[in-house]
Amino acid sequence: MGILILSILLLFSTPQDQQYNFTSAEKEQLHNGEVVVREEKIEGMPWPKTTSYTFVEISPLDGLAIFSDFKAQQNYIPRVMESGVKEYKKPWEIYASIKAEVPWPVNESNYTTGNILEHPNENHYRLIWYFVEAEHFNDTYGYISFHPFKGKTLMVYNSFVEPMTPFLAKLFQGKVRSENLEVVKAIRDHLNSFEGKSSDYLNTRREKVKAALREKEKN
């Protein structure tokens, strides 16, 4: 790490850093526009839980508004062949259906997740997902969150998948980290494509999310 960059990172260290305990190397990665990836071993599970951090160039609200357009995910998330809303359980809780391309001999995988919109505080927006049903794995859960961090918007992507069989666990073992990173970069780049832009689409997505969150607060 360059001495100048290290000095800047140390100089501007704030209580926000303690929230994630970023190392100097991780701070430099974020500063350079890269993705910080951490893995956590889950006891008895073949794959780890993965948490990725990166900056995006839009507001936290816009991050949630764009990502929660499930129909559009098929257009930018790698290997997603089809995506969409299966059912609105509540305005803020949505069942999303996904058809994803996976390597031979499986070819494709269909699954459904429940997705809950959250607004933990004024500038923090989050979507959490949970397992509903799937063809080739037993469980999945995670979240994507957006909140201000050092004058930017920090995107945090947390994901865990439990494969259905040891065969599938072994088949995809070497791909879990690389494919997760590819997904996070694709999401980041898609969100950043909206930087500085105003459109009917984005305005509609914002209002839809805000209306759902207002409805949630009443319940």
Side-chain angles (χ1 to χ4, degrees):
M1 175 184 295
I3 295 176
L4 177 59
I5 292 177
L6 176 58
S7 300
I8 292 172
L9 291 172
L10 292 175
L11 179 64
F12 288 97
S13 180
T14 72
Q16 287 183 316
D17 293 318
Q18 279 77 63
Q19 180 179 357
Y20 298 111
N21 293 315
F22 288 130
T23 65
S24 296
E26 288 173 335
K27 291 175 187 177
E28 184 179 18
Q29 283 182 270
L30 291 171
H31 177 79
N32 291 334
E34 299 172 8
V35 180
V36 171
V37 181
R38 294 174 174 174
E39 294 180 347
E40 177 187 349
K41 176 66 177 175
I42 305 299
E43 186 175 356
M45 295 292 106
W47 296 347
K49 178 169 66 175
T50 302
T51 307
S52 303
Y53 309 82
T54 191
F55 286 129
V56 293
E57 304 299 329
I58 57 175
S59 71
L61 171 59
D62 285 357
L64 179 61
I66 297 165
F67 181 80
S68 59
D69 181 357
F70 298 102
K71 178 67 175 177
Q73 289 183 359
Q74 64 189 335
N75 299 325
Y76 66 91
I77 296 183
R79 292 169 297 282
V80 171
M81 302 163 65
E82 297 177 14
S83 64
V85 173
K86 185 173 184 178
E87 180 183 358
Y88 283 94
K89 305 295 287 186
K90 298 171 183 176
W92 63 90
E93 183 174 6
I94 308 113
Y95 277 13
S97 59
I98 303 289
K99 177 187 286 188
E101 178 183 339
V102 292
W104 180 93
V106 179
N107 295 326
E108 65 182 44
S109 176
N110 293 279
Y111 60 94
T112 300
T113 58
N115 299 266
I116 300 175
L117 304 177
E118 295 189 331
H119 187 198
N121 58 53
E122 182 180 1
N123 294 309
H124 186 184
Y125 291 84
R126 180 169 61 202
L127 181 147
I128 66 172
W129 60 84
Y130 59 89
F131 178 82
V132 175
E133 60 182 1
E135 292 178 330
H136 300 297
F137 53 88
N138 293 325
D139 194 14
T140 184
Y141 57 83
Y143 65 85
I144 187 169
S145 72
F146 306 91
H147 65 87
F149 188 90
K150 294 186 177 298
K152 296 186 178 183
T153 296
L154 183 67
M155 181 181 95
V156 183
Y157 185 90
N158 176 282
S159 177
F160 171 76
V161 176
E162 178 190 349
M164 186 169 287
T165 67
F167 169 75
L168 289 176
K170 185 175 182 179
L171 179 65
F172 297 114
Q173 185 66 51
K175 299 178 178 292
V176 174
R177 182 183 178 90
S178 62
E179 292 196 354
N180 184 274
L181 181 59
E182 186 181 357
V183 166
V184 171
K185 288 181 176 179
I187 295 171
R188 178 198 62 193
D189 293 347
H190 179 69
L191 298 181
N192 285 344
S193 71
F194 289 85
E195 179 189 4
K197 295 180 181 178
S198 180
S199 64
D200 291 341
Y201 167 79
L202 190 51
N203 290 334
T204 299
R205 290 301 311 161
R206 287 186 193 125
E207 291 307 313
K208 188 175 183 67
V209 166
K210 289 193 288 187
L213 291 170
R214 284 194 299 268
E215 201 60 32
K216 186 179 181 183
E217 289 177 359
K218 298 176 185 177
N219 292 266

